[in-house]
Amino acid sequence: MTVQSLPEARDLSHHLNDLARNRFPSPLKDIFRQMQRPGIISMAGGLPHPSLFPFVDASVSVYPPNGDLSGPIPPASDRMTLNFQKYPSSKGTVDLSTILQYGSCEGLFPLREWVRKYTLDVYQPAYSNFEILLHEGNTSAWTKVVRLLCEPGDMILCEEFTFPSAMAVWVPLGCKAVPIKLDGQGMRADHLEEVLANWETSHPGLKRPHVMYVVPVGSNPTGSTMQAERRKAIYEICARYDIIIAEDDPYTTLQFPEFDLSAPAAEVVHQSGEDFAKSLVPSFLHYDRDGRVIRLESFSKVISPGARLGYFVCNPLFAERLLRATEVESQTPSGWSQGIIYSLLETWGQAGYLSWLSRLRDVYQSRRDGLCAALAHSFTALPARDYAAGVEGAEGIALYHTGTDPKSIKPDQRPIATFVPPTGGMFLWLSFSLSLAPRFRELVAQGVEDPEKQFMDEFWQALAENLVLLTPGSYYVPWEGKDKITTGARGAAREIGYLRFAFSYEDPEVMAEGIKRMQQVVSKMFD
Amino acid sequence: MTVQSLPEARDLSHHLNDLARNRFPSPLKDIFRQMQRPGIISMAGGLPHPSLFPFVDASVSVYPPNGDLSGPIPPASDRMTLNFQKYPSSKGTVDLSTILQYGSCEGLFPLREWVRKYTLDVYQPAYSNFEILLHEGNTSAWTKVVRLLCEPGDMILCEEFTFPSAMAVWVPLGCKAVPIKLDGQGMRADHLEEVLANWETSHPGLKRPHVMYVVPVGSNPTGSTMQAERRKAIYEICARYDIIIAEDDPYTTLQFPEFDLSAPAAEVVHQSGEDFAKSLVPSFLHYDRDGRVIRLESFSKVISPGARLGYFVCNPLFAERLLRATEVESQTPSGWSQGIIYSLLETWGQAGYLSWLSRLRDVYQSRRDGLCAALAHSFTALPARDYAAGVEGAEGIALYHTGTDPKSIKPDQRPIATFVPPTGGMFLWLSFSLSLAPRFRELVAQGVEDPEKQFMDEFWQALAENLVLLTPGSYYVPWEGKDKITTGARGAAREIGYLRFAFSYEDPEVMAEGIKRMQQVVSKMFD
């Protein structure tokens, strides 16, 4: 099917907020049109002449796209070089006089074209007239989406545990979260349907949410990845209730096969770039016949965060309003970042980039495996479906004190903790059964206001004292307003506490040592 | 006087808007504190490991800081090289593993320190505890200021002609401009005082403005520069009426001596970096005993726009709230931009940078001279104070048709146009006497709604047809609301039209040809 044969996006302009509606069209259009006239002398634009940029040329030495990423820096003979001259030296190259000048607010044209082809080939969107707009990373991009769609006081659909920086954009606007329950695949379609179907009775007088924020691959913090069937179901619900989906997908290519507890040290199977691309779960774009998905993709996790570069894929109307905002707010991402990343992608080629992403995924997969194996090694780890079948919400792998005889475990016996081995991204989410902790029971007996929060704060502190630093689960609790701060007030699951483990940075051996330290604290604090 | 002996900024927290007040403190502080513990294993942060950044090393070849900028690219033997390794090779260098990682949201520490010293030495702020916060260019920075201080519907003090992108930030928020009249030095203190003193009677029921937006050097579009006495006067009024001054100062070091009409081809006198720094008009910071100035400075005009890099200088309370917004909105400027500009500044040194700025100023000065000389050459150019003394508002240089005998000019005879030769920046602002244009008189006679606007649109179109492209003055008219769009409704000066000329990009010879083309159109359209 060619892109031309696909439908165009629907008119979704009723989703724009007042701010976005009120933006002026740029008055400079007339000037840009006149600038095309042959022979024109322009004294219209306030551009510095590139002869006055102090940069003459630049070169950047880079990895080949298909090397082994677990070893040392590749030798010079294997590397590739990105070269930049001040003025264009041949057709199609990017030069410093262009990338360091004021540029098009949509972003560097050849980079957008590169990304457009990649989007078509890899994501196969379901409508034809999608647009690509570069941005300064997904956090900045999500801010732009909130300013495009949300009015103060709006309620925003999100995962039951969500990314704190995403929340920090909407909270000061007086917006509140509508958390949707999670399972091992992320947001649950049945709960989403329930919330929306009962909205008028459960939230009388409040406008039904029309924006969803979701991290569908390697969810931060839970590490879950939403598979194709779930996506289709969520998309259909959103289409029915007219909801815009902001797909924040920085971990999109860090997707892993299931972790096999029976073979924790299994070798990672390397795939070709082509097979790798085919193996990826489809983006929401692939189901998006309406143009109601705003996809936020970023080079932060797969090239480098410091570039502050990513891109929107969305319908033309949203793209135009996002562009108007970008013109007056951020203008463009850094020209250095755009030029270097474009040159890298162009030098590698699409096949090379897919190969790079595949190799990179392998490294994260082995780190994921290392962390899961370390947990299995420091505890007695058993499949929850076999050993904690009677424990509500227990999913994935159940952890018991080391030395526990599996045969002694009753089906309704709470494990110390459970986790679903991450199928994407950089994070693992561990749920602790707090009823096994004497100190927690003491806090409950004392009648403290939020015993879950207080115990987890103490537990986190004890871990830090034992030199292992994790992220408290409380950071990821969506903000529902001042009256819903405690675990009880939020109606959240009781007697459970959470910690997030990042496996992106440390070597597996170091993580194993960290898990050992955690195990020591757990053995003291949990029955 | 040392900085320690200066007072601290006053508490100006009452200026914060609800959005800024409602921002959460970052929950990550506890984690950052714990990360300092020796021996700690952190699985807290979701950072990719720098071994997974595909960049090995980079080098950038740059101009020496003191070369002649009007000639060709300096030969390789004169250039300097900025080198970047993946990992730190020696203390004090910036490396790719740092600049390409997630970084401090305040910006790269050594760059902030460099800028802090420069700010102290060159601007000599009047209070001690100012802060430096990097940003992505002044337009983005001004957006952050509006989001820090302005509520929807606020009225903002600005120049009678102001930068369109600055307006485009506040207009969709429902904010409106309060334009302050200009003269050859920019904003007039007497008119500012008058507007504020009479606010309650002239704007009954409306909140008095508490934010001023001003481009004090090389004002865009007028090219004027505010001298020290005027600044002091404006600052004192702002202190009295409790107004925050956003000093948008991207052209700050492009300050020129007065243009001498009697010696239009005079050579530019080169200054040492030290003399150059002393010659600069003080920043508002220099008078800012309260901490009510938010200075926006940018590397766009003096290094390159594509870097998208600049910095705030402001009081600690504003800096903290701007930082909270930055954390969740833009995070940091590009690491490539920060690293390369830091390395450039460090390689040049402060003396070298001042020398660069001085040389750069010289180039812009000769372009300014070239444009003024071209205007003087294509018309009969005479000092307005001698030849248009009886014409209201005539200031600077008055232009008459070429061949006009100066002796024939009566004191109240309107020149075709007048301009104040720019004393800074990149722009020249030409005011035309429309009563000399038969077509304008015709439009007036026809009773069209806004004859000034309509004539200038036709004039601009005729110029474009004659292959010279300028920016219509109407772009710079501050937005005062839908009821104040026409020249008449705004109460603006009648029978005058404006065009902005940029002298930043084209060579003087090309500009001279452009002025010749303009003169041909003028000779047809003006008596």
Side-chain angles (χ1 to χ4, degrees):
Chain A
M1 191 158 62
T2 64
V3 68
Q4 286 79 11
S5 67
L6 294 169
E8 293 206 338
R10 289 177 53 186
D11 178 1
L12 295 166
S13 54
H14 55 284
H15 285 279
L16 297 175
N17 65 15
D18 278 351
L19 180 70
R21 276 174 219 280
N22 288 343
R23 291 194 188 282
F24 277 29
S26 169
L28 298 174
K29 269 188 203 154
D30 292 340
I31 288 188
F32 288 137
R33 205 171 24 237
Q34 294 286 357
M35 271 176 140
Q36 312 306 321
R37 277 180 188 248
I40 199 140
I41 292 176
S42 173
M43 288 181 273
L47 307 182
H49 195 277
S51 63
L52 304 176
F53 305 162
F55 307 106
V56 180
D57 54 44
S59 72
V60 182
S61 153
V62 300
Y63 293 8
N66 49 7
D68 176 10
L69 286 174
S70 57
I73 292 178
S77 58
D78 286 358
R79 290 181 221 152
M80 301 166 98
T81 305
L82 317 178
N83 283 310
F84 302 88
Q85 304 296 320
K86 190 171 194 109
Y87 297 107
S89 51
S90 66
K91 221 179 152 229
T93 59
V94 290
D95 55 88
L96 300 181
S97 68
T98 302
I99 64 177
L100 301 183
Q101 187 57 275
Y102 286 107
S104 155
C105 296
E106 286 121 321
L108 195 65
F109 181 75
L111 176 54
R112 286 171 58 228
E113 288 299 297
W114 202 100
V115 164
R116 174 185 300 282
K117 179 169 181 341
Y118 177 86
T119 300
L120 265 175
D121 292 350
V122 176
Y123 303 128
Q124 302 167 8
Y127 69 103
S128 60
N129 57 340
F130 66 88
E131 293 274 350
I132 306 285
L133 186 67
L134 301 191
H135 61 60
E136 297 82 17
N138 280 12
T139 300
S140 165
W142 167 242
T143 301
K144 292 181 182 182
V145 171
V146 171
R147 295 218 176 95
L148 179 80
L149 302 175
C150 301
E151 298 289 359
D154 269 3
M155 315 226 10
I156 295 173
L157 295 161
C158 66
E159 292 149 291
E160 191 182 356
F161 298 103
T162 191
F163 179 45
S165 293
M167 278 191 272
V169 175
W170 80 61
V171 173
L173 288 173
C175 294
K176 291 177 187 169
V178 181
I180 303 299
K181 290 197 177 126
L182 302 175
D183 63 15
Q185 274 201 35
M187 195 180 269
R188 273 170 43 194
D190 62 323
H191 189 236
L192 177 64
E193 173 72 45
E194 188 189 320
V195 166
L196 292 168
N198 300 323
W199 185 264
E200 280 70 24
T201 48
S202 61
H203 297 79
L206 282 179
K207 198 176 89 180
R208 203 172 62 202
H210 71 120
V211 175
M212 172 188 287
Y213 173 80
V214 62
V215 182
V217 174
S219 176
N220 183 356
T222 71
S224 64
T225 296
M226 197 184 277
Q227 301 300 315
E229 285 306 311
R230 177 71 60 85
R231 282 178 195 250
K232 263 193 256 184
I234 300 256
Y235 184 84
E236 290 306 326
I237 297 168
C238 289
R240 199 142 28 86
Y241 289 95
D242 193 18
I243 287 160
I244 303 298
I245 302 172
E247 180 181 39
D248 182 3
D249 212 359
Y251 312 104
T252 188
T253 57
L254 304 179
Q255 298 179 16
F256 320 127
E258 300 278 340
F259 173 75
D260 185 353
L261 184 57
S262 65
E267 283 220 358
V268 172
V269 180
H270 181 61
Q271 287 179 305
S272 73
E274 206 176 330
D275 289 343
F276 166 78
K278 281 186 200 143
S279 77
L280 297 174
V281 170
S283 156
F284 272 110
L285 280 184
H286 188 58
Y287 307 109
D288 186 21
R289 59 181 182 272
D290 296 341
R292 63 175 63 257
V293 173
I294 304 181
R295 182 172 168 79
L296 316 182
E297 187 154 342
S298 169
F299 294 108
S300 286
K301 313 297 180 184
V302 294
I303 304 233
S304 69
R308 308 310 308 133
L309 190 65
Y311 55 93
F312 291 106
V313 187
C314 66
N315 73 52
L317 179 114
F318 289 177
E320 189 272 342
R321 291 284 98 183
L322 287 167
L323 177 63
R324 288 290 89 76
T326 298
E327 280 168 357
V328 301
E329 293 187 351
S330 59
Q331 301 207 325
T332 62
S334 156
W336 284 109
S337 296
Q338 293 191 73
I340 289 169
I341 286 192
Y342 169 65
S343 179
L344 177 71
L345 294 174
E346 188 60 22
T347 301
W348 280 352
Q350 185 172 299
Y353 183 52
L354 287 169
S355 175
W356 164 262
L357 294 171
S358 173
R359 292 290 185 144
L360 189 72
R361 187 268 307 269
D362 295 348
V363 175
Y364 282 98
Q365 187 183 331
S366 56
R367 285 178 192 226
R368 187 271 317 248
D369 291 350
L371 176 58
C372 292
L375 285 163
H377 182 79
S378 285
F379 295 87
T380 295
L382 297 164
R385 68 171 175 274
D386 300 333
Y387 288 86
V391 179
E392 202 198 317
E395 217 184 337
I397 293 174
L399 300 180
Y400 303 85
H401 282 300
T402 185
T404 305
D405 178 0
K407 287 182 206 126
S408 73
I409 298 170
K410 291 170 208 144
D412 63 346
Q413 181 182 330
R414 294 196 169 278
I416 299 169
T418 60
F419 68 99
V420 176
T423 45
M426 300 181 162
F427 308 111
L428 183 148
W429 184 241
L430 206 53
S431 315
F432 289 87
S433 300
L434 304 191
S435 57
L436 300 182
R439 171 63 180 155
F440 175 76
R441 297 192 298 264
E442 186 180 300
L443 291 167
V444 173
Q446 288 168 1
V448 303
E449 199 190 5
D450 192 348
E452 285 83 2
K453 172 82 167 60
Q454 187 163 334
F455 174 79
M456 287 308 291
D457 286 351
E458 293 180 15
F459 182 32
W460 183 82
Q461 198 65 44
L463 290 166
E465 296 298 327
N466 217 37
L467 297 178
V468 56
L469 196 59
L470 302 165
T471 315
S474 58
Y475 287 13
Y476 306 94
V477 172
W479 173 257
E480 298 180 72
K482 284 181 186 156
D483 53 335
K484 292 196 174 179
I485 288 183
T486 64
T487 308
R490 287 186 289 113
R494 304 307 299 257
E495 306 192 347
I496 303 182
Y498 305 88
L499 289 174
R500 192 195 75 168
F501 295 65
F503 53 86
S504 56
Y505 195 87
E506 296 287 8
D507 280 335
E509 308 80 65
V510 178
M511 289 194 285
E513 170 61 24
I515 297 301
K516 231 185 257 175
R517 294 178 186 176
M518 179 185 82
Q519 186 274 331
Q520 289 158 4
V521 177
V522 168
S523 71
K524 282 183 206 142
M525 292 183 71
F526 289 75
D527 290 335
Chain B
M1 190 158 64
T2 65
V3 67
Q4 286 77 12
S5 67
L6 293 169
E8 293 206 338
R10 291 177 53 186
D11 178 1
L12 295 167
S13 55
H14 56 283
H15 285 279
L16 297 176
N17 65 15
D18 278 350
L19 181 70
R21 276 174 218 280
N22 287 343
R23 291 196 188 281
F24 278 29
S26 171
L28 298 174
K29 268 188 204 152
D30 292 340
I31 288 189
F32 288 136
R33 204 169 28 236
Q34 293 286 357
M35 271 176 139
Q36 313 306 322
R37 277 180 187 248
I40 199 140
I41 292 177
S42 172
M43 287 181 273
L47 307 182
H49 195 276
S51 64
L52 304 176
F53 304 160
F55 306 105
V56 179
D57 54 44
S59 73
V60 182
S61 156
V62 301
Y63 292 7
N66 48 7
D68 177 9
L69 286 174
S70 57
I73 292 177
S77 57
D78 285 359
R79 291 181 219 153
M80 303 168 97
T81 305
L82 318 178
N83 283 311
F84 303 88
Q85 304 297 319
K86 189 171 195 108
Y87 297 107
S89 51
S90 66
K91 222 179 149 224
T93 58
V94 290
D95 55 87
L96 299 181
S97 69
T98 302
I99 63 176
L100 300 184
Q101 188 55 276
Y102 286 106
S104 155
C105 296
E106 287 121 321
L108 195 68
F109 180 75
L111 177 53
R112 286 170 57 228
E113 287 301 295
W114 201 100
V115 165
R116 174 184 301 282
K117 179 168 180 345
Y118 177 86
T119 301
L120 266 174
D121 292 349
V122 176
Y123 303 128
Q124 303 167 10
Y127 70 103
S128 61
N129 57 340
F130 66 88
E131 293 273 350
I132 306 285
L133 187 66
L134 301 191
H135 61 60
E136 297 82 15
N138 280 13
T139 300
S140 166
W142 167 241
T143 300
K144 292 181 181 181
V145 171
V146 171
R147 295 219 176 94
L148 179 80
L149 302 175
C150 300
E151 298 290 359
D154 269 4
M155 309 214 34
I156 296 173
L157 295 161
C158 66
E159 293 150 290
E160 190 182 355
F161 298 103
T162 190
F163 180 44
S165 294
M167 277 192 271
V169 174
W170 80 62
V171 172
L173 289 172
C175 293
K176 290 176 188 171
V178 182
I180 303 299
K181 291 199 175 124
L182 303 175
D183 63 15
Q185 273 201 36
M187 195 181 268
R188 273 170 44 194
D190 63 323
H191 188 237
L192 176 65
E193 172 72 44
E194 188 189 319
V195 165
L196 292 167
N198 299 324
W199 185 263
E200 281 70 24
T201 48
S202 61
H203 297 79
L206 283 179
K207 198 175 90 181
R208 203 172 63 202
H210 71 121
V211 176
M212 172 187 286
Y213 172 80
V214 62
V215 181
V217 175
S219 176
N220 184 356
T222 71
S224 64
T225 296
M226 197 184 277
Q227 302 300 315
E229 285 307 311
R230 176 71 60 86
R231 281 177 196 252
K232 263 193 255 184
I234 299 257
Y235 184 84
E236 289 307 326
I237 296 168
C238 289
R240 198 139 31 84
Y241 289 94
D242 192 19
I243 287 160
I244 304 298
I245 302 172
E247 180 182 38
D248 182 5
D249 212 0
Y251 313 103
T252 188
T253 56
L254 303 179
Q255 297 179 16
F256 321 126
E258 301 278 340
F259 173 74
D260 184 354
L261 184 58
S262 65
E267 284 222 358
V268 171
V269 180
H270 181 62
Q271 286 179 304
S272 72
E274 205 176 332
D275 287 345
F276 167 79
K278 279 185 203 145
S279 76
L280 298 174
V281 169
S283 157
F284 272 110
L285 281 183
H286 188 59
Y287 307 108
D288 186 21
R289 58 182 183 272
D290 295 342
R292 64 176 63 255
V293 173
I294 304 180
R295 182 172 168 78
L296 315 182
E297 187 154 343
S298 169
F299 294 109
S300 286
K301 313 296 181 186
V302 295
I303 306 244
S304 69
R308 309 309 309 132
L309 190 66
Y311 55 92
F312 292 105
V313 186
C314 66
N315 74 51
L317 179 114
F318 288 177
E320 190 271 342
R321 291 283 98 182
L322 287 168
L323 178 60
R324 289 289 89 78
T326 298
E327 280 167 357
V328 302
E329 293 188 350
S330 60
Q331 301 204 326
T332 61
S334 157
W336 284 110
S337 296
Q338 293 190 75
I340 289 169
I341 287 192
Y342 169 66
S343 179
L344 177 72
L345 293 174
E346 187 62 19
T347 301
W348 280 351
Q350 185 171 300
Y353 183 52
L354 288 169
S355 175
W356 164 262
L357 294 171
S358 172
R359 291 292 185 140
L360 188 73
R361 188 270 305 268
D362 294 349
V363 175
Y364 282 98
Q365 187 183 331
S366 55
R367 284 176 193 228
R368 186 271 318 247
D369 291 350
L371 176 58
C372 292
L375 285 163
H377 182 78
S378 286
F379 294 87
T380 296
L382 296 164
R385 66 170 176 276
D386 300 332
Y387 288 87
V391 179
E392 201 197 319
E395 216 183 338
I397 294 174
L399 300 180
Y400 304 85
H401 283 299
T402 185
T404 306
D405 178 2
K407 286 180 206 129
S408 74
I409 298 169
K410 292 170 207 140
D412 63 346
Q413 180 182 331
R414 296 197 167 276
I416 299 168
T418 60
F419 69 99
V420 176
T423 46
M426 300 181 163
F427 308 111
L428 182 148
W429 185 240
L430 205 54
S431 315
F432 289 87
S433 301
L434 305 191
S435 58
L436 300 182
R439 171 63 181 156
F440 175 76
R441 297 194 298 264
E442 186 180 296
L443 290 167
V444 172
Q446 287 169 1
V448 303
E449 199 189 6
D450 193 347
E452 285 83 1
K453 173 82 167 60
Q454 186 163 334
F455 175 79
M456 287 308 290
D457 286 350
E458 293 180 14
F459 182 31
W460 183 82
Q461 198 64 44
L463 290 166
E465 297 296 328
N466 217 35
L467 297 176
V468 57
L469 196 59
L470 302 165
T471 315
S474 58
Y475 288 13
Y476 306 94
V477 172
W479 174 256
E480 298 180 73
K482 285 181 184 152
D483 53 335
K484 292 195 174 179
I485 288 183
T486 63
T487 307
R490 287 186 288 112
R494 305 305 300 256
E495 307 192 345
I496 302 182
Y498 305 89
L499 289 174
R500 191 195 77 168
F501 295 65
F503 54 86
S504 55
Y505 196 87
E506 297 288 6
D507 281 336
E509 308 80 65
V510 178
M511 289 194 285
E513 170 60 24
I515 297 302
K516 230 185 259 177
R517 294 178 187 176
M518 180 185 81
Q519 186 272 331
Q520 288 159 3
V521 177
V522 167
S523 72
K524 283 182 203 143
M525 291 182 72
F526 288 75
D527 291 334

